[in-house]
Amino acid sequence: MTHPVRIAPSILSADFARLGEEVRAIDSAGADWIHVDVMDGHFVPNITIGPAVVKALRPHTAKPFDVHLMISPVDPYLEAFAEAGADIITVHPEAGPHLHRTIQRIKALGRKAGVSLNPATPAKMLDYVLEEVDLVLVMSVNPGFGGQSFIDSQLRKIEAIRKQIDRIGKSIHLEVDGGIDRDTAPRAIAAGADVLVAGTATFRGGPDAYAANIEALRGG
């Protein structure tokens, strides 16, 4: 069963002095979603942006905001990111004591809910929540920084999760983030991914290169 592939450029690799322009540029270059990496310097070793920046970027595109919260505790911030314009809110099982409750809260806020698995977090963490989520994000690098190399062992995890999703027959996106480029993208897709997050590979070469970069990730 083949799934259309969506490309979600990560603004972590954009020019932060020109974020609004960068979002408009990747939108017009063919991005399907805008991936927003939120890091708190606690759950991951880096600090990026908060809800105010998401809100400021919202008028620059109608594309879905795919907001990945790498923050702990995560629950106190769900409402702020929903109000700022996040369409999908993805959390880590380790970022709060009650993952199921967190997922329910995201959905109660009218947003799609995602769960992200770090490289050492097993697929079995999804056993009792998979039917509740709209998206699973497999991290193919350790979260915190852009520009890292793809961890090959995650391909087996992607394959395992794709089988779980297909078995329950629900429309759940399987997203991969970390070290995605024109070499690793086809491998992630072959393993079952249908959304690819790419920062460095999208933003390399400046705005004139964005459309070709995105097309290359699709296999074009």
Side-chain angles (χ1 to χ4, degrees):
M1 183 177 175
T2 57
H3 306 266
V5 176
R6 289 173 171 81
I7 305 298
S10 166
I11 64 168
L12 185 63
S13 299
D15 179 349
F16 268 45
R18 303 171 51 253
L19 270 185
E21 293 167 58
E22 291 276 63
V23 166
R24 292 199 302 274
I26 56 173
D27 180 334
S28 61
D32 298 293
W33 296 354
I34 311 299
H35 190 81
V36 182
D37 288 303
V38 177
M39 306 180 187
D40 64 357
H42 167 71
F43 185 69
V44 292
N46 196 6
I47 298 173
T48 54
I49 63 173
V53 175
V54 175
K55 184 177 181 180
L57 291 175
R58 188 64 278 187
H60 291 270
T61 179
K63 298 281 173 71
F65 272 7
D66 173 29
V67 177
H68 178 195
L69 299 182
M70 289 164 272
I71 60 178
S72 176
V74 72
D75 291 345
Y77 300 96
L78 299 175
E79 190 169 351
F81 281 101
E83 289 177 355
D87 296 286
I88 306 161
I89 298 176
T90 299
V91 300
H92 287 254
E94 300 89 351
H98 305 292
L99 178 60
H100 188 277
R101 178 188 291 162
T102 302
I103 292 165
Q104 295 300 105
R105 178 65 180 142
I106 294 168
K107 300 192 87 144
L109 289 165
R111 301 300 183 260
K112 292 185 175 178
V115 172
S116 181
L117 304 181
N118 285 331
T121 305
K124 71 190 296 297
M125 292 294 284
L126 299 167
D127 281 359
Y128 300 99
V129 297
L130 186 59
E131 296 202 13
E132 308 293 327
V133 304
D134 301 288
L135 175 143
V136 176
L137 169 55
V138 174
M139 292 302 299
S140 42
V141 298
N142 284 294
F145 297 96
Q148 299 183 71
S149 297
F150 188 89
I151 299 172
D152 286 340
S153 64
Q154 300 311 295
L155 291 168
R156 296 198 306 276
K157 189 189 294 182
I158 297 164
E159 289 169 359
I161 295 168
R162 170 51 63 197
K163 285 177 185 165
Q164 286 179 272
I165 291 171
D166 289 348
R167 189 161 58 242
I168 64 175
K170 289 193 73 174
S171 177
I172 300 167
H173 290 295
L174 181 47
E175 183 173 43
V176 182
D177 181 2
I180 294 293
D181 57 27
R182 63 178 63 211
D183 297 318
T184 56
R187 298 165 67 205
I189 293 166
D194 60 66
V195 185
L196 302 179
V197 177
T200 309
T202 301
F203 287 95
R204 184 182 289 121
D208 290 344
Y210 295 169
N213 291 346
I214 289 169
E215 197 54 37
L217 293 170
R218 288 191 207 279

